[in-house]
Amino acid sequence: MFDLSWAFAEEQDQKDTLKSYRNQFYFPQRNGKDAIYFCGNSLGLQAKNVQPAIMQELEDWQQCAVEGYWGARNPWLYYQQYCSKPMMEIVGASQEELTVMNTLTVNLHLMMMTFYKPTKERFKILMEAGAFPSDQYAVETQVKLHGLDPATAIIEVAPREGEFLISEEDIFQIIDQESSSLALILLGGINYYTGQLFNMQSITEAAHRAGAVVGFDLAHVVGNVPVKLHDWEVDFAVWCSYKYLNGGPGAVGGAFIHERHARDRNRPRLGGWWGNEETIRFKMEKGFEPKDRAEGWQISTAQVFNMVALKASLELFESAGMAALREKSIRLTDYLEFLLKHIENIKFEIITPKNCKERGAQLSLLFHDRGKEIQQKMTEAGIIVDWREPGVIRVSPAPLYNSYGDVFHFYEIIANIA
């Protein structure tokens, strides 16, 4: 299937139907050439169509001023929809179930304000141990806002002793055991540290059987692994757009709210002008009447300059298609794993699931010693990856712009680290 030669990588790149997209991105320069950039799981590269897209909005602002809301080339009044429409295929939802707004953690708080309604009997939240800290902080503070003690209200499912991955059997067991007390299940679709992809469909089904609401943080899923949020009947999900979606540093976040909730105008939420029904928005009257779609959770005007890079990148996603990107991603990551298993000069353990259906583009390499030193040597050699305490180097070849040649050169470099 794979071999250790440069000729193999070269042949695979020649056959790659997505190879032209690589030339549509800027790569950081290291040692006089393109860096080997395997950090798209932290911050995606800049697409070359971003600068002209920003210049267009600047020109429209210059020429139209306030009339740009309806007279710009891309009228600002509907800017969030230019991003939500191409997200439909990426997350498996209708446009009515999607909105682009705020940032991930802000959206998580907004969703919890709607969906976490603890009672005396049903008040617990199940989340993964070692979730990204921002999620931990959001859940902890939401629980405290309701006057509850995080020590009793938050249940964490952790890997078994001596293991790194969370057993789905353990997730289902906790759901069964706590079925009468669970209010919310909130998991990362992919664990940021290990790269483990959870079976969101099965977890959602188990949560609903127990009478609990289920939501997912898709920060490491969106643009990486295709999902079917509507069909799986997930209640809500949130994500950022600066990782695999290449929306730029601090770029706008997104949210999914299943249509059975989105259409319910009486569902509690925090309101704002941009979430109000458009037909009466400019009457400027009292009484919040939310849109009967996910945009009913929008609070403020669309952040045009914080969305423009995402809009530009999503044009490439629409052109490439998530199915083709996922197919290439699986093969790239499998190839990376194959090569890593032939490394003998440095010692590490791949803690990401071996099954390609249980992971995305990321492989997490656990070093018991010298990890930080080795990461620094990678950096000096023109490789950009990231380090996560206490000992993981995360390596993530993104199929939209990474090549088999990148993967081979990565292997070639680290195989010679002393």
Side-chain angles (χ1 to χ4, degrees):
M1 186 177 181
F2 302 117
D3 69 46
L4 293 172
S5 69
W6 163 247
F8 174 82
E10 196 171 32
E11 180 186 9
Q12 296 307 301
D13 282 331
Q14 289 172 354
K15 292 179 179 178
D16 181 14
T17 58
L18 299 174
K19 61 185 176 183
S20 64
Y21 291 95
R22 177 181 178 86
N23 295 325
Q24 298 188 51
F25 287 87
Y26 293 108
F27 282 76
Q29 298 299 295
R30 297 290 185 272
N31 306 322
K33 56 185 178 181
D34 289 352
I36 299 173
Y37 192 82
F38 286 166
C39 212
N41 58 335
S42 188
L43 181 68
L45 295 181
Q46 181 188 140
K48 292 180 179 178
N49 63 349
V50 169
Q51 186 171 355
I54 291 176
M55 293 305 296
Q56 179 65 54
E57 303 307 336
L58 286 171
E59 182 180 332
D60 287 343
W61 180 19
Q62 180 186 73
Q63 299 296 325
C64 302
V66 71
E67 292 178 344
Y69 277 95
W70 54 89
R73 177 178 293 186
N74 305 299
W76 305 330
L77 201 63
Y78 312 105
Y79 214 89
Q80 69 276 0
Q81 295 173 8
Y82 308 146
C83 294
S84 62
K85 186 175 183 293
M87 291 295 303
M88 292 166 59
E89 181 195 4
I90 295 172
V91 301
S94 69
Q95 192 172 7
E96 288 70 28
E97 294 173 307
L98 299 172
T99 190
V100 178
M101 61 183 187
N102 308 314
T103 53
L104 188 157
T105 307
V106 171
N107 289 337
L108 179 55
H109 277 297
L110 292 176
M111 294 302 105
M112 290 185 71
M113 293 293 289
T114 289
F115 290 101
Y116 179 53
K117 298 296 179 185
T119 65
K120 184 177 180 181
E121 295 78 22
R122 191 180 285 277
F123 62 94
K124 295 181 181 178
I125 300 176
L126 173 63
M127 65 187 303
E128 82 240 48
F132 194 78
S134 190
D135 286 10
Q136 296 184 52
Y137 305 153
V139 172
E140 174 192 342
T141 53
Q142 285 280 337
V143 162
K144 288 180 176 179
L145 279 173
H146 288 279
L148 300 171
D149 182 358
T152 55
I154 300 173
I155 306 170
E156 292 187 332
V157 56
R160 297 174 183 179
E161 187 174 353
E163 298 182 4
F164 299 102
L165 304 175
I166 294 172
S167 166
E168 291 190 347
E169 179 184 337
D170 292 348
I171 296 174
F172 299 139
Q173 184 177 12
I174 293 173
I175 292 173
D176 288 340
Q177 289 175 345
E178 301 286 348
S179 60
S180 62
S181 62
L182 273 178
L184 173 64
I185 295 170
L186 179 66
L187 297 172
I190 289 179
N191 181 272
Y192 84 97
Y193 188 75
T194 65
Q196 179 181 7
L197 170 64
F198 293 106
N199 188 330
M200 289 175 267
Q201 182 177 11
S202 296
I203 292 169
T204 299
E205 291 169 354
H208 288 167
R209 284 196 300 271
V213 172
V214 61
F216 292 101
D217 173 351
L218 301 182
H220 289 269
V221 173
V222 169
N224 179 9
V225 178
V227 291
K228 298 180 179 179
L229 298 180
H230 174 83
D231 291 350
W232 297 344
E233 298 193 350
V234 172
D235 292 298
F236 72 89
V238 293
W239 55 87
C240 56
S241 67
Y242 46 79
K243 300 180 187 295
Y244 294 101
L245 292 181
N246 315 307
V252 68
F256 162 87
I257 300 139
H258 197 280
E259 65 179 12
R260 66 181 178 277
H261 306 305
R263 290 176 177 172
D264 181 3
R265 295 179 188 265
N266 294 318
R267 185 162 286 275
R269 73 198 76 190
L270 294 179
W273 197 42
W274 226 246
N276 201 64
E277 175 57 48
E278 287 178 3
T279 57
I280 60 172
R281 179 187 290 161
F282 287 93
K283 288 187 176 181
M284 317 297 277
E285 295 175 344
K286 286 183 180 180
F288 177 60
E289 295 188 31
K291 300 177 186 178
D292 58 350
R293 54 194 295 167
E295 287 183 13
W297 273 260
Q298 280 199 235
I299 291 177
S300 302
T301 309
Q303 304 153 274
V304 171
F305 287 100
N306 202 21
M307 292 183 178
V308 63
L310 173 60
K311 175 181 175 294
S313 176
L314 287 174
E315 292 171 3
L316 302 179
F317 274 88
E318 278 193 296
S319 173
M322 275 305 297
L325 287 168
R326 176 59 170 161
E327 182 181 353
K328 178 182 174 182
S329 177
I330 288 172
R331 189 159 170 79
L332 266 182
T333 309
D334 285 352
Y335 178 47
L336 173 63
E337 182 181 29
F338 167 81
L339 294 176
L340 288 171
K341 287 180 177 177
H342 289 82
I343 299 291
E344 296 179 350
N345 54 305
I346 52 178
K347 301 300 180 184
F348 58 87
E349 180 180 357
I350 300 174
I351 62 172
T352 306
K354 293 179 173 59
N355 186 341
C356 65
K357 294 181 180 179
E358 297 174 3
R359 68 187 186 196
Q362 172 183 318
L363 292 182
S364 295
L365 316 184
L366 176 64
F367 291 79
H368 296 289
D369 57 32
R370 293 187 64 207
K372 193 65 178 173
E373 173 195 340
I374 290 165
Q375 193 243 347
Q376 181 58 39
K377 289 186 175 183
M378 290 182 184
T379 301
E380 291 167 0
I383 295 171
I384 300 178
V385 288
D386 75 0
W387 169 264
R388 296 289 166 164
E389 296 291 350
V392 161
I393 294 175
R394 303 188 307 167
V395 184
S396 185
L400 194 58
Y401 49 73
N402 282 130
S403 67
Y404 292 87
D406 288 337
V407 174
F408 181 83
H409 287 311
F410 174 80
Y411 156 75
E412 194 175 37
I413 289 169
I414 64 174
N416 290 290
I417 289 178

